[in-house]
Amino acid sequence: LYVQATGQAAKSARTVVICGVPDGLLHDDIMADILMIHFQKSKNNGGDVEEVVYPTREKGVAYVTFEDKEVVESVVKKDEHQLEDKRLSRRYLLKVTRYCDNVFSSVTAVLNVSVFQDHFVLEDLIQELKRKSTALSFGPLQSNGHISVQGSFPAMQLLRDFLLLKAKSLSEKDKREERKSHERPKPRLQQHRLTAKMKNSVHDADGEKHMVVLDTDIYHYMKSFSPRTLLMSDDVVISDVTDGDVTTVYIESGGSGSDAGQVLRVKEKIEQQSLKLHNTLRKERIYFEEHVRNEKQRYKWACESLKPRYPHVLIIPYDTHIDVIGNSSQVFEFTKEV
């Protein structure tokens, strides 16, 4: 995990974002080849190119990764990049910025596996989770059944889905055992403990209650720029609980006459939007200089004054820093101007 993370960070440092690529004029492979030639030329302050990613999710945007990170500095410093090639009818002005490597790559959550203690040796369960989730880093198992987990948000969601499936299979096993044990003088309350805990925290069948676990920054961005996704109505009620990097969104029926399927549709819509934002958003952090008087107010004023020019950038102020969230090129330009 450390090697992978280090390698990704090193690659980000060797990557630039190219905006203004002429879209739809040539085949994508040809345009990628033209971009590679442009950024390998010494007259463009270029160097050996390792990879060109084009097309991307953003129209007219490409990513160019150099073999040497020193080339990034020289390429960005060049006053003007004009893309020209005999296969193009004219020159096209490109905008080149550094790739923002502070991405939504890691969140930390505390996992409570104590609900499984009647069915598993918890240490063995953790070893199984580690084998299943090699992209995650696990802390020591605490005596209360809590364990800290760190890694990418998608990997965290896969871990959660795996645990829910395991809980569901145990619940079904308990039901089968109960049907086979009619001669027992009294029901075993312990075997229902796991089912009750998982059901209450994930899905209440009577009240049609579901939950979605999101990256907190992505949740803030969704609330600001996709409010319809989280729109409440008489039929569906949405609430949230934030715990550091993670926000849990609860979706439940608003009344007895509401459509049960609507709760699930809202849940799926939130999940799809979250995945889309996770793949496109980047984050930069501007730290305040403690020794400078009124530094916090000055930075906030600068951010607010620039905001109209960057309508899709989210600014989240904290006591020690400001988080800037948006697509890679806009986040970099915004932070540079601040």
Side-chain angles (χ1 to χ4, degrees):
L1 177 65
Y2 175 77
V3 172
Q4 290 176 347
T6 303
Q8 184 60 44
K11 184 175 181 180
S12 298
R14 293 184 283 110
T15 301
V16 293
V17 183
I18 315 300
C19 300
V21 179
D23 184 67
L25 297 182
L26 301 170
H27 192 277
D28 293 338
D29 290 342
I30 296 176
M31 185 57 68
D33 183 59
I34 292 174
L35 288 169
M36 178 174 285
I37 293 172
H38 174 90
F39 287 100
Q40 283 181 331
K41 290 181 178 179
S42 57
K43 73 173 186 177
N44 296 322
N45 293 358
D48 292 334
V49 174
E50 176 183 304
E51 181 185 26
V52 174
V53 179
Y54 182 81
T56 62
R57 290 182 175 84
E58 298 176 63
K59 185 176 179 180
V61 174
Y63 297 97
V64 176
T65 301
F66 297 98
E67 292 185 4
D68 187 352
K69 69 178 182 180
E70 303 297 331
V71 180
V72 170
E73 296 298 325
S74 60
V75 164
V76 171
K77 286 180 181 178
K78 182 175 171 58
D79 292 335
E80 194 174 83
H81 281 273
Q82 291 197 17
L83 189 65
E84 55 180 328
D85 188 275
K86 61 183 179 181
R87 290 165 286 187
L88 295 172
S89 59
R90 63 178 181 85
R91 296 178 178 180
Y92 290 86
L93 184 64
L94 301 177
K95 184 178 181 181
V96 182
T97 57
R98 293 179 183 83
Y99 183 86
C100 174
D101 60 359
N102 189 1
V103 300
F104 297 105
S105 59
S106 180
V107 294
T108 301
V110 176
L111 185 66
N112 182 5
V113 294
S114 64
V115 292
F116 292 96
Q117 63 188 358
D118 294 332
H119 300 266
F120 297 104
V121 176
L122 294 186
E123 287 77 5
D124 294 341
L125 175 62
I126 296 302
Q127 290 303 317
E128 181 183 1
L129 297 181
K130 289 180 178 179
R131 290 193 297 270
K132 289 280 186 180
S133 308
T134 55
L136 294 174
S137 176
F138 292 80
L141 178 64
Q142 305 297 321
S143 58
N144 59 359
H146 291 188
I147 185 170
S148 176
V149 185
Q150 185 176 35
S152 72
F153 202 81
M156 203 80 76
Q157 289 177 313
L158 290 175
L159 173 64
R160 173 183 172 272
D161 292 341
F162 173 73
L163 287 172
L164 291 178
L165 285 174
K166 184 173 283 291
K168 183 179 179 182
S169 66
L170 290 174
S171 173
E172 292 172 351
K173 180 181 177 182
D174 285 345
K175 289 178 181 177
R176 289 195 299 269
E177 290 179 353
E178 186 176 4
R179 285 195 295 267
K180 293 178 182 178
S181 306
H182 296 297
E183 296 180 0
R184 289 177 183 166
K186 60 181 180 180
R188 281 175 51 199
L189 296 178
Q190 280 190 345
Q191 73 181 26
H192 298 289
R193 187 186 305 165
L194 173 67
T195 305
K197 286 186 179 180
M198 297 304 295
K199 183 177 178 180
N200 289 338
S201 63
V202 180
H203 175 239
D204 181 354
D206 296 331
E208 287 301 324
K209 184 175 183 179
H210 291 258
M211 79 175 188
V212 183
V213 183
L214 304 175
D215 179 289
T216 296
D217 288 322
I218 287 181
Y219 177 63
H220 287 319
Y221 196 92
M222 193 182 297
K223 283 181 67 177
S224 297
F225 298 106
S226 305
R228 291 178 63 87
T229 306
L230 301 168
L231 189 64
M232 291 188 292
S233 66
D234 294 335
D235 296 329
V236 178
V237 176
I238 297 177
S239 57
D240 63 82
V241 176
T242 296
D243 182 12
D245 293 330
V246 176
T247 293
T248 304
V249 179
Y250 296 94
I251 311 110
E252 56 188 315
S253 298
S256 57
S258 60
D259 179 12
Q262 188 172 355
V263 175
L264 188 58
R265 288 193 293 271
V266 171
K267 174 179 180 288
E268 292 173 348
K269 186 177 180 181
I270 293 173
E271 289 175 333
Q272 291 170 2
Q273 182 67 6
S274 171
L275 181 60
K276 179 181 177 181
L277 292 176
H278 192 282
N279 290 330
T280 58
L281 293 180
R282 300 292 182 266
K283 177 172 70 174
E284 273 285 6
R285 180 162 289 176
I286 303 173
Y287 288 97
F288 304 136
E289 298 178 32
E290 295 181 2
H291 62 279
V292 180
R293 188 177 181 182
N294 297 326
E295 186 80 354
K296 184 176 179 179
Q297 288 76 10
R298 290 171 59 215
Y299 269 113
K300 284 185 177 180
W301 176 86
C303 288
E304 290 301 325
S305 64
L306 290 170
K307 188 71 173 70
R309 291 170 49 195
Y310 297 88
H312 297 294
V313 168
L314 176 64
I315 305 163
I316 306 179
Y318 294 94
D319 290 336
T320 58
H321 62 274
I322 293 176
D323 282 344
V324 182
I325 302 170
N327 71 52
S328 181
S329 57
Q330 287 205 355
V331 163
F332 177 79
E333 285 299 316
F334 182 92
T335 305
K336 184 172 67 174
E337 288 200 49
V338 170

